[in-house]
Amino acid sequence: QVQLVESGGGLVQAGGSLRLSCAASGRTFSVYAMGWFRQAPGKEREFVAAISWRGARTLYTDAVKGRFTISRDNAKNTVYLQMNSLKPEDTAVYYCAAASGWRGSGSSYDYWGQGTQVTVSS
């Protein structure tokens, strides 16, 4: 069992920046990779970024490449999503997820956070 707690969401102006955090607890030894997903109103949940704990392997969806950066602090069991040059279309509920293997952009992650709202105003 792994618990994920997200923080850092909020309201930001277009072009601004925001950093999301996700702290993992419980059986964290079983976690191989962490990912971020988002879901906007009326849209399906979509993959944003992923990172492996051991090799720092990363993967991004094309929509955020060059603007978002995923990173992790193994000592704190925390993953971050630095979001720069935010656009109104980035507005969504952002979810942190954990997996026991490399899932990449797949949706079959094993554990999910509660979600945090990110709103980008124009």
Side-chain angles (χ1 to χ4, degrees):
Q1 185 75 9
V2 176
Q3 294 78 45
L4 304 174
V5 180
E6 297 141 308
S7 62
L11 175 65
V12 65
Q13 299 176 16
S17 299
L18 203 62
R19 189 180 76 159
L20 305 183
S21 299
C22 176
S25 61
R27 301 174 70 252
T28 57
F29 64 87
S30 67
V31 176
Y32 180 89
M34 302 282 288
W36 287 97
F37 291 75
R38 66 186 182 185
Q39 186 169 27
K43 297 184 178 180
E44 297 181 349
R45 182 175 297 182
E46 65 173 343
F47 170 79
V48 177
I51 187 169
S52 64
W53 286 105
R54 300 294 177 85
R57 177 183 180 183
T58 59
L59 181 68
Y60 298 91
T61 188
D62 288 344
V64 306
K65 286 182 179 178
R67 299 190 298 121
F68 291 11
T69 302
I70 188 170
S71 62
R72 84 277 186 271
D73 185 333
N74 289 6
K76 296 181 178 180
N77 288 321
T78 300
V79 64
Y80 306 94
L81 185 67
Q82 178 66 47
M83 305 183 293
N84 298 326
S85 301
L86 284 163
K87 306 174 181 179
E89 51 262 46
D90 293 318
T91 295
V93 176
Y94 283 70
Y95 297 91
C96 177
S100 59
W102 181 250
R103 304 280 191 268
S105 61
S107 61
S108 59
Y109 282 68
D110 303 296
Y111 303 97
W112 296 83
Q114 78 288 348
T116 184
Q117 177 70 48
V118 172
T119 303
V120 183
S121 62
S122 60

